[in-house]
Amino acid sequence: MRLSGTALRVTIFIGENDIWHHKPVYTEIVHRAHKAGLAGASVFRGIEGYGASSLIHTARLLSLSEDLPVAVVIVDDAERIRAFLPQLDELVSEGLVILDDCEVIRYVGRTQADT
């Protein structure tokens, strides 16, 4: 797949413990994005944060919270990202989904020789 120039980035902010049919929501999002043929998806685990509930989640030792914030980031052309949004409506019951215009400068995968 070739991706360059203007693109759309969707970022999904959810909790690490959010579950979809006995699997983490972030895992389901990544697998569905892959199945949909999107250019790529990455999951980032936060060390501290809060959302609409105003409850602070942190990785600090003295805290009892283990439900850390997670961000899933997917970049592809706008049409493909917008076609994927209904999947997110189904999966994300609590969290934040944002769209940003972006510009892809470089998108290069590994060759078979690199693996």
Side-chain angles (χ1 to χ4, degrees):
M1 167 185 256
R2 186 93 178 131
L3 183 62
S4 64
T6 302
L8 197 59
R9 173 179 52 207
V10 60
T11 306
I12 305 104
F13 296 97
I14 54 178
E16 182 179 36
N17 292 339
D18 292 353
I19 300 296
W20 174 261
H21 294 256
H22 310 291
K23 291 192 313 193
V25 171
Y26 61 84
T27 297
E28 186 66 18
I29 292 170
V30 169
H31 285 267
R32 287 191 186 195
H34 185 259
K35 185 176 179 182
L38 296 178
S42 297
V43 179
F44 301 94
R45 185 177 189 223
I47 58 171
E48 190 163 6
Y50 72 94
S53 69
S54 294
L55 179 63
I56 294 178
H57 302 273
T58 181
R60 286 182 279 152
L61 291 176
L62 298 177
S63 173
L64 298 176
S65 175
E66 294 178 3
D67 188 20
L68 294 173
V70 172
V72 182
V73 179
I74 305 169
V75 177
D76 208 319
D77 69 59
E79 183 177 314
R80 294 168 65 95
I81 291 291
R82 291 193 184 281
F84 188 69
L85 292 179
Q87 302 254 5
L88 298 178
D89 285 340
E90 180 183 2
L91 295 170
V92 179
S93 59
E94 293 180 18
L96 175 67
V97 178
I98 62 172
L99 293 172
D100 300 293
D101 292 321
C102 62
E103 184 176 354
V104 174
I105 304 300
R106 183 170 170 83
Y107 176 69
V108 180
R110 292 187 181 131
T111 63
Q112 291 291 12
D114 292 341
T115 56

